[in-house]
Amino acid sequence: MGYSMRKLMPGGSSVSAERCLMAACQSSHLCAPPGLMLLLIGVISSHLPEVHSRPVDFWCRTQARGNMQQMIEDLRKAAARCDSLPSPVQLPSVKMNVALWGRKTTQHKRAELVGTIRAFQDGVQEARVNVTSQCQTSVLEKLEHRIRNDLLILNSSHIQTDTVTSPPARADFSSQTNKLSEVLKQYELLLKGKLNHFAIDVHDIICREDRTTNVTER
């Protein structure tokens, strides 16, 4: 049809993909029937890569964090078809004492989060090596990708708010499980708990700096 996939997916947008497909259809004599075209659009849209926002978007936009949590919930639904893992996964503790959390420095909180997320990453990588189910492999690969993105966000320069950067804290392991859904549940609790509270803690500093930068660039 003369259209590359790059043109079909500018910025990872399903809307743009739909427009490009329709334009390609109009310019070609090989246009599929309307029903088949809609099906093709749906298939391509469902395989569009995740849109990579700036790290600051995560800290300054509640919707960005909500989308991340929704992705984990969707993975939990997918894992229902293949829940039993061949070997147990060690789970780091995700419990949060609000009063104790409030007394920690920003860098201490960040170091604790990085250590816990890396512990999840190690467990997921080990589990992925041992599974043979395509369903489990798919879920674990998507979770591992999500975890890598979260580490990149936490390690971004936007949250180097203290003069001294603390190394990642050693994670405390609380349990182990053979259930893929439980791994996802615990990671979701981490997102809704400590990571969400941390986003609230650093919101004013990061978002104020981002607004100032945008005004200066204009």
Side-chain angles (χ1 to χ4, degrees), residues 66-77:
N67 291 341
M68 182 174 70
Q69 293 173 9
Q70 182 60 52
M71 176 195 170
I72 301 299
E73 291 177 8
D74 292 342
L75 288 179
R76 287 179 65 183
K77 293 176 183 177

Side-chain angles (χ1 to χ4, degrees), residues 4 12 23 26 29 35 44 49 51 72 79 105-106 111 114 129 160 164-165 168 175 180 186 188 194 196 211-212:
S4 68
Q26 292 171 1
H29 297 294
I44 291 180
V51 177
I72 301 299
T105 66
T106 299
V114 170
V129 170
Q160 304 299 325
V164 178
T165 300
S175 61
L180 181 53
Q186 291 302 310
E188 185 177 10
K194 290 183 179 180
N196 190 58
R211 287 194 295 269
T212 302

Side-chain angles (χ1 to χ4, degrees), residues 113-125:
L113 277 166
V114 170
T116 302
I117 293 176
R118 282 186 179 175
F120 270 107
Q121 184 179 44
D122 291 342
V124 169
Q125 288 176 339

